[in-house]
Amino acid sequence: MSDTLTAKSFGIKSILEELGIKENNYGASTGLKHIQTKGKKIDSYSPVDGQLIGSVNAATVEDYEKVMATAEEAFKVWRLMPAPKRGEIVRQMGDELRKYKDPLGKLVSYEMGKSLQEGLGEVQEMIDICDFAVGLSRQLYGLTMHSERPKHRMYEQWHPLGVVGIISAFNFPVAVWSWNSMLAWVCGDVCIWKPSSKVPMCAIACQNIIAAVLKRNNVPEGVSCLVIGNESGDLINNDKRIPLVSFTGSTKIGRHVSKTVAERFGKTILELGGNNAIIVSKDADLNMVLVGAVFGAVGTAGQRCTSTRRLIIHESVYDKTISVLRNAYGQLNIGNPLDSSNHVGPLIDRNATQEYLTAIEKAKQEGGKLIVEGKVLTGNGYESGCYVKPCIIEAKNDFNIVQHETFAPILYVMKYKTIEEAIAIQNGVPQGLSSALFTNSMREMELFLSTTGSDCGIANVNIGTSGAEIGGAFGGEKETGGGRESGSDAWKAYMRRQTNTINYSDSLPLSQGIKFDF
């Protein structure tokens, strides 16, 4: 591994300065005003080289209350602004993100550990959702219905909810926030964001970037709020002033969020675990399978909710597919993700490394066979202790460890005889996010996408499980949580539906022909 791209040579200090991040970072913000918090100190270390990026004090309960009070007041003004005007402000945010795409993409890569190409891609995703939201601001449509009563008109309309809480995960430090916030903003909501404490600098950078747009448009203080620190997560979940909480994270924490918010009759969008599988048909193009499976399994070091965890291969092409995969894994370059010659970067921290090792050991204990061995890498360039070798394990779908999502580059492979069996294996896990089938058989395609096919929120044919376009609604079923973000009609989650009936006659007939004379 090259040791030329250290924090110093990469220029992280100048990147932080360009993004307006100073040594005394704040742990809370209401848009333009930064709050110097006094909570627990949070250090952000890069998994790339183990270097300290910066520190921030978490928001206290008092800080949180200041932010919430400001957000509530901002909502009273923001909701009255015409939706196309709100969309215009989001358009300007997209332009501002274009200006800072390079430094923000580099910070995402350095603080999270994903490849520079993926870091830049994540910022592009933010830009794309801004563009989507601009058009959406003129398309918040309701329906018109025919009334059964004469001279009555029925229709439905959508109103903003209020303050939307966004709790995001480390693996997509900025994109998931934008999926939620840009749509919520054009819908008339204001947002309070609690980012992962593992990547606080990315969140501060985003708040700094859009601050110029907020100021230029005289947007009320509190439309875009930020609170950093784990304590703020439960403050959001328990807060009756927040009608919607969008949470991205583990199934374990998702259960807690769901229960807590439901107990106060709040709404949730939950993007939780994935245990995604690719089915490789006997009619599959193995060249395409290779790209989809390898990127799906090792991209972002296996730390995507859509990462490929299982490869279900037809018995007739099993040996050939394994041979092709083993050869491809042997060519993977593992190292500094800022170096474009590397395919695989680090896991987020050493806790993730330990979970990777534990998963491999459990798979072996259950009878799994190592096809490509995994290990933690040490030595020159791997000093952070977060680099691991992607591995492949021959396993059975009912292994306990296979049923569990491990956020690491571990790929389980298994055989099948019929497409029906393959679909049953694919569906035979608690999670239901993303799925894929590689085949040239029209019958298999249609069966996979039918009512009796994949039970996931995302089902692809001849592309992998990882990666999604912002035009489609993103989300899953079962223990993946439910709810949708990003495209299609996902905007409806950020608004409340209201049915209206207008009587323009000179009498008051009752519905269903009911008579009530007196």
Side-chain angles (χ1 to χ4, degrees):
M1 171 181 169
S2 169
D3 61 356
T4 59
L5 288 172
T6 61
K8 184 176 181 180
S9 65
F10 181 57
I12 190 63
K13 185 176 181 180
S14 62
I15 290 171
L16 294 175
E17 290 176 352
E18 187 174 356
L19 294 169
I21 299 176
K22 302 176 182 179
E23 290 186 9
N24 296 320
N25 288 308
Y26 52 88
S29 169
T30 54
L32 298 178
K33 294 180 181 178
H34 304 328
I35 300 173
Q36 293 292 340
T37 52
K38 297 181 180 180
K40 181 181 177 182
K41 183 181 177 184
I42 298 173
D43 295 324
S44 175
Y45 288 94
S46 171
V48 174
D49 54 15
Q51 297 297 306
L52 178 67
I53 302 173
S55 302
V56 58
N57 291 326
T60 63
V61 175
E62 182 182 359
D63 298 326
Y64 174 84
E65 286 300 327
K66 289 179 182 177
V67 169
M68 269 303 303
T70 308
E72 284 190 296
E73 289 303 310
F75 175 61
K76 296 175 183 178
V77 178
W78 183 250
R79 65 184 174 181
L80 298 177
M81 185 179 293
K85 174 60 177 174
R86 297 193 295 256
E88 164 59 18
I89 293 171
V90 169
R91 183 195 67 77
Q92 294 174 38
M93 290 180 181
D95 285 347
E96 206 70 16
L97 286 166
R98 285 178 172 90
K99 294 179 186 177
Y100 290 95
K101 179 179 177 178
D102 186 65
L104 182 58
K106 288 177 178 177
L107 178 59
V108 168
S109 178
Y110 188 65
E111 188 172 34
M112 185 270 152
K114 62 177 60 178
S115 72
L116 180 55
Q117 190 175 4
E118 289 182 79
L120 294 170
E122 186 170 343
V123 181
Q124 184 60 50
E125 201 166 354
M126 300 174 76
I127 295 167
D128 292 343
I129 200 67
C130 287
D131 290 347
F132 179 89
V134 174
L136 178 64
S137 68
R138 295 179 183 272
Q139 300 178 73
L140 303 175
Y141 299 133
L143 299 173
T144 300
M145 291 75 74
H146 287 281
S147 173
E148 65 186 52
R149 291 168 284 185
K151 295 186 177 180
H152 283 60
R153 181 165 68 89
M154 291 180 64
Y155 68 97
E156 67 178 24
Q157 58 180 330
W158 296 83
H159 298 294
L161 284 174
V163 182
V164 171
I166 303 168
I167 304 175
S168 61
F170 74 86
N171 59 331
F172 279 85
V174 295
V176 171
W177 165 72
S178 70
W179 290 358
N180 287 274
S181 60
M182 301 306 170
L183 296 196
W185 282 330
V186 298
C187 289
D189 301 315
V190 300
C191 299
I192 179 169
W193 179 22
K194 202 293 286 185
S196 167
S197 294
K198 297 180 180 181
V199 285
M201 300 304 156
C202 286
I204 293 171
C206 288
Q207 192 81 336
N208 289 347
I209 289 170
I210 67 169
V213 176
L214 300 175
K215 183 177 181 180
R216 187 163 60 239
N217 287 273
N218 296 314
V219 172
E221 191 76 30
V223 167
S224 177
C225 296
L226 175 69
V227 286
I228 296 174
N230 292 336
E231 186 179 23
S232 294
D234 257 350
L235 291 174
I236 289 172
N237 296 330
N238 285 287
D239 199 330
K240 293 182 179 180
R241 297 168 293 182
I242 299 179
L244 172 66
V245 176
S246 177
F247 172 80
T248 303
S250 70
T251 298
K252 178 182 178 180
I253 304 300
R255 282 195 179 95
H256 169 72
V257 173
S258 178
K259 179 180 178 181
T260 303
V261 178
E263 283 181 343
R264 61 176 178 81
F265 294 104
K267 301 178 181 179
T268 54
I269 299 172
L270 301 174
E271 299 292 353
L272 311 178
N275 198 342
N276 316 294
I278 292 176
I279 298 173
V280 181
S281 164
K282 63 180 183 297
D283 297 316
D285 182 330
L286 290 187
N287 290 324
M288 294 174 66
V289 170
L290 182 64
V291 176
V294 175
F295 176 74
V298 310
T300 326
Q303 297 174 114
R304 291 186 177 215
C305 52
T306 54
S307 290
T308 305
R309 310 289 178 199
R310 298 172 294 144
L311 202 60
I312 307 165
I313 310 167
H314 191 272
E315 59 183 6
S316 67
V317 295
Y318 183 83
D319 290 341
K320 185 175 182 180
T321 302
I322 294 299
S323 177
V324 169
L325 280 173
R326 185 185 285 115
N327 181 61
Y329 270 54
Q331 298 178 54
L332 292 174
N333 294 324
I334 306 166
N336 193 316
L338 308 173
D339 185 339
S340 61
S341 66
N342 290 323
H343 303 99
V344 185
L347 294 175
I348 186 64
D349 55 29
R350 294 192 179 190
N351 288 335
T353 301
Q354 186 56 51
E355 289 181 6
Y356 158 87
L357 292 173
T358 300
I360 294 173
E361 190 59 34
K362 286 183 177 179
K364 289 163 62 178
Q365 291 172 0
E366 292 191 73
K369 176 185 175 184
L370 288 173
I371 302 297
V372 175
E373 292 192 16
K375 64 178 181 179
V376 178
L377 301 177
T378 59
N380 182 34
Y382 300 121
E383 290 83 2
S384 70
C386 300
Y387 292 87
V388 301
K389 183 182 177 185
C391 75
I392 301 175
I393 303 174
E394 187 175 71
K396 293 183 179 179
N397 201 57
D398 60 1
F399 284 3
N400 287 330
I401 192 61
V402 175
Q403 294 284 308
H404 172 77
E405 179 193 40
T406 302
F407 238 42
I410 301 174
L411 179 65
Y412 301 109
V413 295
M414 52 202 76
K415 298 178 184 178
Y416 78 90
K417 293 181 182 292
T418 67
I419 185 63
E420 291 80 6
E421 179 191 4
I423 292 173
I425 293 172
Q426 139 67 38
N427 293 343
V429 292
Q431 308 85 357
L433 179 53
S434 185
S435 57
L437 166 67
F438 279 82
T439 185
N440 287 319
S441 165
M442 183 65 73
R443 174 185 173 274
E444 290 183 339
M445 291 182 194
E446 294 298 329
L447 189 62
F448 178 69
L449 300 175
S450 72
T451 302
T452 57
S454 170
D455 64 0
C456 294
I458 299 169
N460 299 325
V461 175
N462 291 331
I463 63 171
T465 63
S466 188
E469 296 183 29
I470 57 92
F474 182 89
E477 305 297 329
K478 302 190 293 186
E479 287 191 3
T480 298
R484 296 295 185 270
E485 296 172 323
S486 193
S488 187
D489 65 348
W491 62 270
K492 292 180 178 179
Y494 305 92
M495 305 193 81
R496 59 181 177 88
R497 186 197 304 251
Q498 184 181 78
T499 301
N500 307 115
T501 305
I502 299 173
N503 176 6
Y504 57 95
S505 72
D506 55 5
S507 62
L508 185 58
L510 301 178
S511 59
Q512 291 84 49
I514 294 173
K515 300 295 182 181
F516 190 73
D517 299 326
F518 59 91

